[in-house]
Amino acid sequence: MLCIATLGMVSCKKETLVQSSNTILTVVKDIPTTAWALSSDNKTYSAEISVPEIDQFHIDNEGTLVYISYNNGASYIALPFVYNIDAFSYEVYRGGVAIDVQSADSQLQPRRPTSTVRVKIVLVGNDL
């Protein structure tokens, strides 16, 4: 038995995996109150943020995280989230990110942000 166990241990080979470090790019932008546009059906306020680093490769293979701050960056909340009756979400597209505010109650129109909103966009990937 000891001989079989010894042969089994000797045949094990230690492999070391080395991962290349991911590239992370953080973009911080302020959205003024005038940038929020109401959709034609009055159900969504949207603001678009230009991020030229977002290409089709990023959309297909990498990740995007978005955070929003109402206190000039002192703290951030990850999107999507619901506050009061407003639901915040985002869409990533080639060249940018759109932030959407919709009412969680379909009977009410969403509320437009009344102050400048700071947004942090984090692009996570290997080839930025």
Side-chain angles (χ1 to χ4, degrees), residues 69-90:
S69 174
Y70 283 100
N71 54 13
N72 204 28
S75 63
Y76 286 92
I77 301 169
L79 270 62
F81 80 99
V82 176
Y83 178 73
N84 224 348
I85 60 165
D86 293 324
F88 292 78
S89 61
Y90 67 97

Side-chain angles (χ1 to χ4, degrees), residues 26-100:
T26 302
V27 177
V28 177
K29 302 246 179 148
D30 289 331
I31 303 174
T33 57
T34 56
W36 296 95
L38 186 61
S39 63
S40 60
D41 63 1
N42 294 332
K43 294 187 177 186
T44 306
Y45 273 107
S46 294
E48 295 193 8
I49 301 167
S50 174
V51 184
E53 293 84 0
I54 298 176
D55 57 11
Q56 195 60 47
F57 181 84
H58 176 78
I59 292 169
D60 293 342
N61 301 294
E62 299 173 334
T64 307
L65 305 169
V66 178
Y67 304 88
I68 195 166
S69 174
Y70 283 100
N71 54 13
N72 204 28
S75 63
Y76 286 92
I77 301 169
L79 270 62
F81 80 99
V82 176
Y83 178 73
N84 224 348
I85 60 165
D86 293 324
F88 292 78
S89 61
Y90 67 97
E91 176 185 2
V92 179
Y93 56 88
R94 188 180 303 165
V97 173
I99 309 291
D100 295 330

Side-chain angles (χ1 to χ4, degrees), residues 7-19:
L7 285 175
M9 290 177 144
V10 171
S11 65
C12 291
K13 179 178 157 185
K14 181 180 177 185
E15 291 186 37
T16 303
L17 298 176
V18 178
Q19 286 185 296

